[in-house]
């Protein structure tokens, strides 16, 4: 067995985990292929956060069942959160599957794949100590490297399956992370995004998250630092000061709110009130001029009344996020909320979702329009997807900027004057006079 096709679903953490798996496989002599038809083994790296995510994967397994019918030697595996969530049940239920491997089994992937060629294999033991800190991921191309700094979650929000699929929170040693970022920079990456379920509760026994930001800020050749996602209860003064004082740490925070009703926040066990959250936003905005702010919201949590929902609408109108990820509540087996009776119908969840999407789109469009006439610094990523004659990249606030192609190389900072805007994108014209401005080293 030689060639592996790896397909990724879900969040950035999963994308990073797939890069980790790719590294493990290549070191063991496997090659990665971009076409399932060419593969000896197929691995789907899956998500379990909402029911819809699992259904997509089950649908995809149907495609691979057909490939396998034509080629019985093909090994099909499911990795990631859905693998951990459903465990051996998945092997029992699916006739196509040979391998089920949870988020803490990736070190053993080569051996698991070889065994799975002979008989069905499940590796779904969670491991409190596994951080993969010593393993080099095989990163995809681009200017942005995703670096997992923490695995698992200890918060146990009542709707969320992650603590069950990814296990207890653990942080990678700061020295391993600094080495990883250095290597990424040496390979041409110019931006790093630190990843964790509650990234700001990072602690390796000696260093906290603010220490990590400051250590990364001192690395030569790294232009930008971001992170996702912090928990509002753990945003302290040390983090805010590090953001304010480190020029390479971008003025951008994705700060999941989930709901603006204290009653719902309590039922979700988010451990903060709206007032606390409001205070965090104020301190961040006071300390970091031009902060880009985004969030996650769940509508239709069990017991969410019309009044609770109105509070969320009102707060979102007050705080004015740059953007928001909005979700319908999806009951997940194993979680505490799964036992609560669902009080909001699918239809009503849909109505609340649409209402919030419309409101947020209008706000995003207004905020983006305020950028017209101003200059932004874009870290150029390459040709725009839909209009390849144009270039695209992100502003410090993580807004997508598109501007006419002028030969600027990916990985370069380019000053762009904003001449138009939609709710999703800033449209720009490159500023000719200014040379790309690099931040001072040190
Ligand atoms: N239903 C809907 N959305 C969920 N999220 C997490 N669990 C659920 C669920 N059961 C959302 C939260 C989280 C984001 C990553 O996914 O908003 O911040
Ligand atoms: Fe899930 Fe809450 Fe942990 Fe985020 S903080 S991963 S929502 S349990």
């Amino acid at each position: 067995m030689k060639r592996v096709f790896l397909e990724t679903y879900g969040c950035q953490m999963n994308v990073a985990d797939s890069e980790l798996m790719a590294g493990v496989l290549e070191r063991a002599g496997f090659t990665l292929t971009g076409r399932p038809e060419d593969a000896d083994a197929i691995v789907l790296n899956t998500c379990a956060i909402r029911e819809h995510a699992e259904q997509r994967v089950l649908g995809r397994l149907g495609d691979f069942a057909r490939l396998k019918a034509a080629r019985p030697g093909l090994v099909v595996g499911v990795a990631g959160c859905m693998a951990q969530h459903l465990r051996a049940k998945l092997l029992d239920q699916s006739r196509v599957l040979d391998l089920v491997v949870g988020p803490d089994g990736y070190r053993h992937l080569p051996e698991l794949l070889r065994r799975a060629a002979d008989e069905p294999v499940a590796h779904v033991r969670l491991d409190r100590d596994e951080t993969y800190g010593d393993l080099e991921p095989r990163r995809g191309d681009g200017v942005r490297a995703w670096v997992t700094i923490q695995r698992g979650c200890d918060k146990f929000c009542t709707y969320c399956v992650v603590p069950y699929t990814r296990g207890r929170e653990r942080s990678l040693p700061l020295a391993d992370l600094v080495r990883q970022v250095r290597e990424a920079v040496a390979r041409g990456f110019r931006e790093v995004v630190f990843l964790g379920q509650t990234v700001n509760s990072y602690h390796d026994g000696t260093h906290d998250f603010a220490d990590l930001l400051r250590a990364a800020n001192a690395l030569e050749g790294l232009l930008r630092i971001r992170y996702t996602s912090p928990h509002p209860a753990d945003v302290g003064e040390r983090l805010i000061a590090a953001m304010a004082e480190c020029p390479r740490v971008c003025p951008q925070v994705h700060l999941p709110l989930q709901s603006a009703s204290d009653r719902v926040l309590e039922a979700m066990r988010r451990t903060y009130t709206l007032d606390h959250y409001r205070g965090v936003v104020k301190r961040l905005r006071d300390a970091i001029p031009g902060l880009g702010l985004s969030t996650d919201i769940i509508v239709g949590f069990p017991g969410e009344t019309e009044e609770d929902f109105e509070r969320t609408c009102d707060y979102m109108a007050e705080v004015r996020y740059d953007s928001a990820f909005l979700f319908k509540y999806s009951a997940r087996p194993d979680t505490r909320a799964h036992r609560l009776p669902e009080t909001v119908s699918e239809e009503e969840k849909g109505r609340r979702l649409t209402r919030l999407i419309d409101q947020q789109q209008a706000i995003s469009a207004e905020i983006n329009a305020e950028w017209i006439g101003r200059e932004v610094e874009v870290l150029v990523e390459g040709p725009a997807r839909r209009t390849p004659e144009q270039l695209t990249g992100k502003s410090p606030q993580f807004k997508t900027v598109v501007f006419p192609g002028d030969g600027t190389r990916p990985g370069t900072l380019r000053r762009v004057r904003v001449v138009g805007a939609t709710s999703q994108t800033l449209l720009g014209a490159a500023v000719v006079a200014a040379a790309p401005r690099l931040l001072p080293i040190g």
Side-chain angles (χ1 to χ4, degrees):
M1 185 195 300
K2 275 271 157 265
R3 290 157 306 177
V4 181
F5 173 74
L6 190 53
E7 190 165 86
T8 310
Y9 293 80
C11 63
Q12 280 308 324
M13 179 77 74
N14 261 15
V15 175
D17 277 359
S18 288
E19 295 181 343
L20 186 92
M21 284 191 250
V24 168
L25 289 170
E26 285 188 348
R27 276 190 296 279
F30 291 80
T31 51
L32 277 297
T33 165
R35 284 166 36 99
E37 298 78 12
D38 298 340
D40 304 305
I42 290 174
V43 178
L44 297 185
N45 188 9
T46 62
C47 169
I49 199 111
R50 284 169 289 275
E51 194 185 346
H52 176 70
E54 291 193 342
Q55 278 163 354
R56 274 181 69 205
V57 168
L58 293 176
R60 190 69 171 134
L61 285 179
D63 298 340
F64 298 138
R66 280 185 286 283
L67 268 185
K68 192 164 167 152
R71 228 157 14 102
L74 179 69
V75 169
V76 179
V78 166
C81 287
M82 183 181 170
Q84 190 66 40
H85 190 215
L86 300 177
R87 297 189 274 275
K89 244 192 292 175
L90 256 181
L91 280 183
D92 297 342
Q93 281 170 4
S94 156
R95 267 182 293 157
V96 64
L97 271 186
D98 307 291
L99 171 66
V100 173
V101 52
D104 287 343
Y106 301 154
R107 189 181 289 278
H108 310 291
L109 199 54
E111 157 207 337
L112 292 169
L113 280 175
R114 284 189 200 107
R115 275 173 48 204
D118 298 327
E119 55 171 353
V121 179
H123 184 304
V124 287
R125 213 174 37 246
L126 288 171
D127 179 346
R128 274 167 189 269
D129 298 321
E130 180 60 280
T131 63
Y132 305 116
D134 57 320
L135 299 182
E136 205 52 46
R138 217 266 288 125
R139 301 187 195 284
D141 298 330
V143 304
R144 182 174 302 121
W146 305 90
V147 175
T148 304
I149 69 164
Q150 170 203 61
R151 304 186 67 87
C153 182
D154 283 351
K155 296 284 187 200
F156 287 91
C157 301
T158 56
Y159 51 81
C160 185
V161 79
V162 167
Y164 306 93
T165 62
R166 288 188 170 270
R168 297 290 59 72
E169 179 186 320
R170 56 223 115 117
S171 295
L172 280 78
L174 182 125
D176 281 344
L177 295 170
V178 168
R179 180 183 48 74
Q180 276 201 33
V181 177
R182 263 213 195 92
E183 255 156 62
V185 171
R187 293 218 13 243
F189 292 95
R190 289 292 168 260
E191 175 174 310
V192 66
V193 187
F194 290 130
L195 294 178
Q197 301 299 340
T198 54
V199 72
N200 52 332
S201 62
Y202 171 89
H203 206 291
D204 75 352
T206 312
H207 309 97
D208 69 3
F209 187 60
D211 292 327
L212 177 63
L213 289 182
R214 290 183 191 275
N217 188 64
L219 293 179
E220 200 167 324
L222 183 63
L223 299 179
R224 286 181 170 181
I225 301 158
R226 304 183 191 274
Y227 62 89
T228 199
S229 297
H231 192 287
D234 296 336
V235 178
E237 291 313 316
R238 283 175 54 80
L239 168 57
I240 297 176
M243 287 190 75
E245 289 164 24
C246 294
R248 294 192 176 96
V249 177
C250 289
Q252 180 232 330
V253 179
H254 179 73
L255 194 64
L257 169 66
Q258 313 300 359
S259 165
S261 154
D262 283 343
R263 234 173 44 78
V264 175
L265 286 173
E266 168 87 41
M268 289 175 163
R269 290 219 183 181
R270 286 292 287 175
T271 73
Y272 54 83
T273 59
L274 179 63
D275 257 355
H276 173 86
Y277 185 98
R278 220 187 232 121
V280 171
V281 170
K282 176 163 172 27
R283 280 181 288 133
L284 282 164
R285 282 182 165 163
D286 285 349
I288 303 153
L291 182 78
L293 188 68
S294 56
T295 200
D296 290 339
I297 301 283
I298 298 174
V299 299
F301 185 80
E304 185 189 69
T305 62
E306 185 61 33
E307 195 191 329
D308 293 321
F309 172 67
E310 286 299 331
R311 284 199 182 171
T312 302
C313 298
D314 289 350
Y315 180 68
M316 289 179 74
E318 169 194 322
V319 70
R320 294 174 69 78
Y321 292 110
D322 288 270
S323 63
F325 294 98
L326 309 168
F327 306 105
K328 286 197 267 185
Y329 170 71
S330 167
R332 305 312 291 136
D334 296 343
T335 63
R336 280 169 183 267
H338 191 251
R339 288 182 238 144
L340 303 174
E342 289 225 41
T343 57
V344 186
S345 67
E346 267 314 294
E347 197 187 2
E348 179 58 18
K349 282 183 200 169
R351 192 194 66 80
R352 291 182 189 178
L353 188 72
T354 308
R355 156 99 195 267
L356 270 193
I357 290 173
D358 290 347
Q359 175 180 319
Q360 182 55 44
Q361 222 175 15
I363 293 171
S364 297
E366 284 168 17
I367 293 177
N368 286 353
E370 287 164 16
W371 282 90
I372 295 174
R374 293 158 70 183
E375 282 184 21
V376 290
E377 190 168 55
V378 179
L379 178 60
V380 177
E381 294 176 23
R385 218 172 343 128
R386 270 181 251 159
T387 49
E389 67 285 1
Q390 299 201 300
L391 287 171
T392 187
K394 299 282 188 205
S395 76
Q397 287 76 14
F398 208 57
K399 289 182 187 292
T400 301
V401 184
V402 173
F403 63 99
D406 61 355
T408 307
R409 287 222 313 271
T412 316
L413 291 175
R414 190 80 176 90
R415 284 203 79 74
V416 170
R417 178 174 297 280
V418 180
V419 295
T422 70
S423 62
Q424 306 273 341
T425 312
L426 302 181
L427 311 168
V431 177
V432 180
R437 189 170 55 93
L438 298 182
L439 293 165
I441 306 295

